[in-house]
Amino acid sequence: MYHFKKSIIALLSFMSCNSGKLNVLANIPDSLKETSAIEKVANSNLLWTIEDSGNKNNIYGLDLKGKIVKDIDINNAKNVDWEDLTSDASGNLYIGDFGNNNGKRKLFTIYKVSDLNLNETKAKRIDFELPKGNKSEDFEAFFIYNNIFYLFSKHDKHTNLYKVPNVGGKHKAEFVTKFKLKGKNTKITAADISANGKVVVLLNHDKLLKLTNFSADAFFDGTLEHQDFEHDSQKEGVCFKDSNTVFITDERTKGKGCNLYTFKL
């Protein structure tokens, strides 16, 4: 009876939460309270997520009810600070191990996972360092576009954009631009680009930045639109569901969050 009452209370709390303009699809299991990404992958009917530093070197496939359907151990990778996911049209999933809270990290890694049907697998490595003379950066957001990774640094009031080729081995990241961000809560925590390459979204805890009308990789030379959620939580994951809608996830903090949402652009 105790567990039944506890489940009812949790369900009522979940259903009554004020989610602003976000549509709550599901609650993510407590075992994944530090979800740091969400990604839709070609040839998979699941949504993929990871946890950040201090957690397992595993990727998890969720259904639209938030249930963990697949749990894959990446047995040759270490979760130093996994922060974001991206994927390509061939169904390869890429893990961004580039979090850097203490600002001392020099080598960053992107892991490429090609088989999402196994329970245990190995990943290929793409390592990179920042250009000589550049200070160490903290990254939480990236996507792949034209076979190049674009990474957005996490700062107050601005973000630095770098690019790294999708080629195995060790690389020097190329600095692209610095862009000033307006308003409060400007730290970028996740990013994605639409399948047609025409829309970029950058996630923050209380809003989404939508970039359109850009050419090549000059993303910030186009139109920038702030889309407020009217909801504030530790949002860490975003990916496109379709051209007009994104999936969003947040971490559980102070007993709140750890949900899967949709948001209309």
Side-chain angles (χ1 to χ4, degrees), residues 29 38 55 77 86-88 113 135 187 196 213 231 240 250 257:
I38 194 74
N55 291 288
T86 190
S87 62
D88 60 29
V113 182
K135 292 183 179 179
K187 294 181 178 180
N196 61 12
N213 301 317
H231 178 270
F240 277 89
D250 55 5

Side-chain angles (χ1 to χ4, degrees), residues 21-22 208 227-229 244-246 248 262-265:
K21 295 181 180 179
L22 299 172
L208 197 73
Q227 299 198 348
D228 293 329
F229 298 137
N244 299 311
T245 311
V246 293
I248 291 173
T262 57
F263 178 72
K264 291 284 187 181
L265 301 177

Side-chain angles (χ1 to χ4, degrees), residues 26-35 38 45-51 56 58-73 118-119 258 260:
N27 182 249
I28 297 171
D30 287 344
S31 60
L32 300 180
K33 64 181 180 179
E34 292 186 315
T35 52
I38 194 74
N45 60 358
L46 301 178
L47 293 173
W48 294 88
T49 190
I50 51 175
E51 292 191 282
K56 295 180 180 179
N58 289 45
I59 55 176
Y60 306 92
L62 308 178
D63 63 19
L64 292 181
K65 295 181 179 180
K67 180 181 177 182
I68 300 173
V69 177
K70 194 69 178 176
D71 181 347
I72 304 176
D73 177 17
L118 302 174
N119 294 323
C258 208
L260 171 65

Side-chain angles (χ1 to χ4, degrees), residues 42-157:
N43 306 318
S44 173
N45 60 358
L46 301 178
L47 293 173
W48 294 88
T49 190
I50 51 175
E51 292 191 282
D52 56 19
S53 60
N55 291 288
K56 295 180 180 179
N57 50 296
N58 289 45
I59 55 176
Y60 306 92
L62 308 178
D63 63 19
L64 292 181
K65 295 181 179 180
K67 180 181 177 182
I68 300 173
V69 177
K70 194 69 178 176
D71 181 347
I72 304 176
D73 177 17
I74 313 301
N75 61 22
N76 66 330
K78 181 180 179 181
N79 188 343
V80 177
D81 197 352
W82 292 7
E83 289 291 356
D84 204 2
L85 294 170
T86 190
S87 62
D88 60 29
S90 299
N92 297 299
L93 182 65
Y94 300 88
I95 305 166
D97 187 355
F98 40 50
N100 185 24
N101 290 327
N102 63 17
K104 296 181 179 180
R105 192 169 182 178
K106 294 183 178 181
L107 183 67
F108 305 86
T109 300
I110 296 169
Y111 291 105
K112 178 180 180 180
V113 182
S114 297
D115 194 336
L116 299 176
N117 295 311
L118 302 174
N119 294 323
E120 185 176 348
T121 191
K122 295 184 183 297
K124 295 181 180 178
R125 291 179 63 121
I126 301 158
D127 294 318
F128 67 93
E129 296 178 330
L130 299 184
K132 187 176 181 180
N134 286 50
K135 292 183 179 179
S136 185
E137 297 272 20
D138 182 20
F139 298 103
E140 289 196 7
F142 81 143
F143 56 73
I144 190 169
Y145 177 55
N146 291 336
N147 212 34
I148 295 173
F149 298 109
Y150 290 90
L151 300 98
F152 299 82
S153 68
K154 182 183 178 183
H155 292 282
D156 282 318
K157 304 300 182 183

Side-chain angles (χ1 to χ4, degrees), residues 194-243:
S194 60
N196 61 12
K198 293 184 177 181
V199 183
V200 167
V201 290
L202 304 177
L203 183 68
N204 183 257
H205 290 173
D206 62 3
K207 61 183 167 294
L208 197 73
L209 304 183
K210 179 182 175 183
L211 309 177
T212 56
N213 301 317
F214 50 81
S215 58
D217 60 3
F219 305 118
F220 294 108
D221 289 347
T223 302
L224 173 61
E225 180 182 351
H226 288 70
Q227 299 198 348
D228 293 329
F229 298 137
E230 298 179 4
H231 178 270
D232 191 4
S233 64
Q234 192 169 335
K235 298 175 182 70
E236 299 280 348
V238 66
C239 71
F240 277 89
K241 176 184 177 184
D242 54 47
S243 59

